[in-house]
Amino acid sequence: MVNAFRDISGFKEWLSARGGKPGEATGDMIAGIEAVDREISAFIRVDKDAIIARAEELERSGPAGDLYAVPVAIKNNICIKNSLTTCASRILEDFRPPYNATVIEKLLAEGAIPVAGANMDEFAFGSSCETSYFGPTRNPWDTERIPGGSSGGSAAAVAGGAVVAALGSDTGGSIRQPAAMCGVVGMKPTYGRVSRYGLIAFASSLDQIGPITRSVKDCALMLRAISGYDPLDSTSVNVEVPDYVKSVESPVKGLRIGIPEEYFPEGIDPDVKRRIDEAVDIFRSMGAEIREISLPHTKYAVSCYYIIAPAEASSNLARYDGVHYGHRTRSAESLVDMYFRSRNEGFGPEVKRRVLLGTYSLSSGYYDAYYLKAQKVRTRISEDFKKAFNECDVILTPTAPTTAFKLAEKMDDPLTMYLSDIFTIPANLAGIPAISLPCGLDGKGLPVGLQLMAGAFREETIFSAAGAFEKACAFSGISSGRDDVG
């Protein structure tokens, strides 16, 4: 299957050439997944029996749904019934949920084949996909480099050709940043657009599930499939879901594109800056109106995020106590010792670091000084975006300040690692939609990501701009893969 297709349409052609029977094509499908995975470790575990069973079920029922028989990698913090859902952590290494996440039910309704177990940073805490208990994932463009995180397994699986689409989760950039570093398309929807029911929580006010694909059209197709109101999720918003696929074909003449000065600091990689400048020129040539704007509170976004997100994480992870489910130590002298040992053995260093940070900022005497102040800054950041969208329709920025760095290069420097998400975090704090798509290569031949943001529930505006850019730019081949990747 590897290199047999470049998008969902290509996959359907591949399947049709094999008689259109998923059950008979399953052997090739699994062989392709395993061949890619041996090189990049995109999956914690490939459940071949589950793939075969689903393919045979689809063959019996016949073609139905926009994603009929399409293999979709699922980040390992999204619950699939009876499938190992570990969050890449020892504390959940044997956990099998008794239910499906809502997004899984929606994919099944469209005929997809969920491929469980895409690797990730432990509990989605990371920007490089190196903190997984099961080992790091590697970037298909250069296996000595990180794929980005925390949805690194999902992005690498798509970029490497193991699957044609994937689901990830985005709390501070965890879909967009790996999509940028792996040269694929990744979308973080508006907060509330996609149900979080069945997503194992990191930071509940920031988390969103979204698609990773090889093309903008496929991204639109996937988002259309998983969007919609869900009464099982109290944060789900009951608003109409537009036809995102149709939006991809819309022209951009007259579209107002804002370029925020705060997203081009002195430390940005010159190659990244050059590719973004070229992208701006492409939009201008298509008739878009380019405007310089300001988002003045952007400089506080990282500090704000690393107070709010760990605070919510410390609360969400309190449930892993060695009693209800998950890892439990085999040696403890008391109840308190059992709690301590279970968590100490079950959690990795980055999880412990963030839980401690969050607990500290929520503690008596520090809540007002840190957490409450961070929430006020979050409001200011959101207000900046609302004001900006009075002047423009879309905001264009780099996705990340650099391209993919070497494995282990930043593991001993968490503060530098945290800055990898400097351009993606604000969209999560404001709850607005954002996409990353390829816009060229740097001097080392690594993908550069372009980020587009729009107002809440204006995903169709983003897809219009992204679709037009993908067609027009000289580097559009990256967004559907390249011959020597996958």
Side-chain angles (χ1 to χ4, degrees):
M1 186 178 74
V2 182
N3 273 326
F5 55 87
R6 291 304 181 197
D7 54 19
I8 290 175
S9 293
F11 171 81
K12 290 181 177 180
E13 292 173 4
W14 175 86
L15 184 65
S16 178
R18 286 157 177 76
K21 297 181 178 181
E24 295 183 10
T26 303
D28 289 339
M29 188 185 297
I30 292 173
I33 292 171
E34 292 183 328
V36 173
D37 198 48
R38 280 193 292 272
E39 297 295 322
I40 61 175
S41 300
F43 293 93
I44 291 170
R45 176 176 176 266
V46 177
D47 190 341
K48 293 184 284 188
D49 291 340
I51 296 172
I52 292 169
R54 174 60 176 165
E56 291 176 344
E57 176 191 349
L58 290 170
E59 192 164 313
R60 289 192 298 270
S61 63
D66 289 337
L67 300 172
Y68 178 70
V70 173
V72 180
I74 308 297
K75 188 175 180 178
N76 210 217
N77 61 347
I78 299 172
C79 291
I80 300 178
K81 186 176 181 179
N82 297 327
S83 179
L84 282 172
T85 306
T86 68
C87 283
S89 178
R90 183 186 181 190
I91 209 159
L92 286 176
E93 64 179 326
D94 297 318
F95 176 59
R96 294 178 182 269
Y99 67 97
N100 282 325
T102 295
V103 291
I104 299 301
E105 292 290 350
K106 286 179 175 287
L107 288 181
L108 293 174
E110 292 293 338
I113 299 179
V115 182
N119 201 12
M120 56 183 284
D121 282 302
E122 186 180 7
F123 278 100
F125 298 172
S127 303
S128 63
C129 209
E130 293 177 281
T131 67
S132 170
Y133 172 66
F134 302 94
T137 292
R138 297 173 180 272
N139 194 317
W141 291 77
D142 180 348
T143 56
E144 295 303 311
R145 295 180 182 272
I146 60 106
S150 63
S151 305
S154 295
V158 173
V163 294
V164 73
L167 290 186
S169 66
D170 193 309
T171 306
S174 290
I175 289 173
R176 290 160 288 154
Q177 192 245 37
M181 293 188 173
C182 288
V184 291
V185 180
M187 163 69 89
K188 182 204 85 71
T190 304
Y191 185 80
R193 172 66 85 184
V194 176
S195 173
R196 294 188 303 111
Y197 179 75
L199 172 67
I200 297 176
F202 166 4
S204 301
S205 75
L206 300 165
D207 299 340
Q208 267 292 270
I209 296 171
I212 298 173
T213 62
R214 284 176 168 253
S215 73
V216 173
K217 182 178 179 181
D218 283 358
C219 192
L221 182 64
M222 285 287 293
L223 185 60
R224 185 175 68 182
I226 65 174
S227 293
Y229 175 67
D230 180 14
L232 297 174
D233 175 10
S234 62
T235 63
S236 178
V237 180
N238 191 4
V239 295
E240 182 182 356
V241 179
D243 186 347
Y244 297 130
V245 178
K246 185 177 180 180
S247 299
V248 173
E249 305 299 327
S250 300
V252 296
K253 186 175 182 179
L255 188 76
R256 300 173 300 166
I257 298 179
I259 311 296
E261 57 180 310
E262 292 83 3
Y263 280 69
F264 297 88
E266 289 185 8
I268 191 171
D269 186 309
D271 283 343
V272 171
K273 176 67 164 55
R274 193 174 299 114
R275 297 289 89 82
I276 299 301
D277 288 343
E278 292 170 353
V280 171
D281 289 339
I282 290 172
F283 274 112
R284 186 180 284 112
S285 71
M286 290 190 289
E289 180 184 337
I290 309 300
R291 298 185 175 187
E292 293 185 3
I293 63 169
S294 179
L295 298 168
H297 292 91
T298 297
K299 60 185 177 182
Y300 303 116
V302 172
S303 299
C304 176
Y305 175 87
Y306 279 102
I307 292 173
I308 293 173
E312 294 186 13
S314 69
S315 177
N316 282 322
L317 269 63
R319 71 194 69 182
Y320 306 112
D321 54 11
V323 177
H324 296 93
Y325 59 92
H327 173 75
R328 181 172 184 170
T329 187
R330 295 186 177 182
S331 59
E333 298 177 359
S334 65
L335 178 63
V336 173
D337 189 49
M338 186 273 292
Y339 287 152
F340 174 80
R341 290 178 183 269
S342 295
R343 289 171 172 167
N344 188 48
E345 294 168 8
F347 290 142
E350 185 60 29
V351 175
K352 294 174 185 175
R353 181 182 295 117
R354 298 204 191 191
V355 168
L356 287 171
L357 284 170
T359 303
Y360 178 81
S361 64
L362 290 175
S363 62
S364 177
Y366 296 100
Y367 179 92
D368 289 347
Y370 293 104
Y371 184 76
L372 184 60
K373 187 176 293 185
Q375 290 288 13
K376 291 178 179 179
V377 172
R378 181 181 188 175
T379 299
R380 294 292 183 91
I381 291 170
S382 182
E383 290 171 348
D384 282 351
F385 279 109
K386 290 177 181 177
K387 182 178 179 181
F389 288 125
N390 289 328
E391 304 175 35
C392 62
D393 303 304
V394 171
I395 294 173
L396 185 156
T397 75
T399 305
T402 68
T403 53
F405 46 85
K406 292 287 186 78
L407 288 161
E409 185 176 315
K410 299 183 180 181
M411 282 296 287
D412 295 329
D413 188 356
L415 292 179
T416 300
M417 182 78 79
Y418 294 166
L419 290 173
S420 299
D421 296 330
I422 190 170
F423 298 151
T424 53
I425 281 172
N428 296 83
L429 292 171
I432 61 174
I435 197 171
S436 176
L437 64 158
C439 66
L441 306 176
D442 71 358
K444 298 183 287 291
L446 299 170
V448 176
L450 165 73
Q451 180 175 229
L452 298 172
M453 297 178 279
F457 301 103
R458 295 303 305 273
E459 285 88 352
E460 68 273 20
T461 304
I462 289 177
F463 281 125
S464 175
F469 177 79
E470 185 179 65
K471 289 179 181 179
C473 83
F475 309 106
S476 59
I478 298 173
S479 59
S480 58
R482 69 175 191 184
D483 291 341
D484 57 336
V485 174

